[in-house]
Amino acid sequence: MARQVASIIDTLIISQVLSVAGIKFNELYAKMDMTGLNLLFIKIADHLLVLLMPVVLITFFYADEIAALFFKRGHMMQSSLDTIAFCLKYLILLLPFTMLNSMCTRIFSSTQLIRQGLLYSIAAHVIFLVLTIVLINWLQLTGYLYSMIAGFTVLMFLFYRLFKIKLHQIDFGRILVFGGKQVIINLAVALPVFFLLKKLTDIN
């Protein structure tokens, strides 16, 4: 249930944008316009990150209220609602990672690097599987959520290396830096607002 809520933005916006972007990526690479491909890749990633970061932080801070809004009906127990909210907090953090993963997949497809991208993805998923086994045995559900975040972080690092080696014309590092800046900026705005509202309302 938490995954369904966390994937709403991906389904409604990200998938639609990237479907169109994938066509443009193909056109630019067919013309060997790597400068244009780099600029379009950065532009789309930047705009999506600017859009996603506030959504991610709002959902993270108000996961309890969002879970109650979607699922507090019928005879759902409070413990189940708390579990959904807890999962939602961490699953929403994956949204920027899944967006970048989808963008990279389309770039690799357009530039005929599907095999290399797949190999790097398999390596990241093997690491994710090992982390999942270890962390679930140690931290149960929390361990699974941590392993997903760690797995996507490793995948982003591996994709960064692949861009450096095979597609140095595309500045993937620039996108990662921009994403980090967006996290800092949005946290600087969101934290004071969250604590102020916490004092003025009954939000926990």
Side-chain angles (χ1 to χ4, degrees), residues 17-34 36-38 40-41 44 102-114 167 170:
V17 171
L18 295 188
S19 293
V20 177
I23 298 173
K24 190 62 179 178
F25 291 160
N26 289 336
E27 292 177 357
L28 290 171
Y29 186 73
K31 298 175 182 177
M32 294 308 294
D33 183 3
M34 299 306 292
L37 186 59
N38 178 53
L40 180 62
F41 187 69
I44 293 173
S102 296
M103 285 197 69
C104 290
T105 300
R106 282 171 169 78
I107 281 288
F108 296 150
S109 176
S110 299
T111 57
Q112 301 175 12
L113 288 177
I114 298 176
L167 282 174
I170 297 179

Side-chain angles (χ1 to χ4, degrees), residues 1-2 5 63 67 71 76 79-89:
M1 292 182 178
V5 176
F71 302 111
M76 178 173 284
S79 59
S80 298
L81 198 60
D82 291 341
T83 300
I84 291 173
F86 178 74
C87 292
L88 181 58
K89 273 181 177 287

Side-chain angles (χ1 to χ4, degrees), residues 43-56:
K43 182 178 180 180
I44 293 173
D46 285 357
H47 280 76
L48 288 177
L49 286 170
V50 168
L51 170 68
L52 292 181
M53 288 305 175
V55 174
V56 169

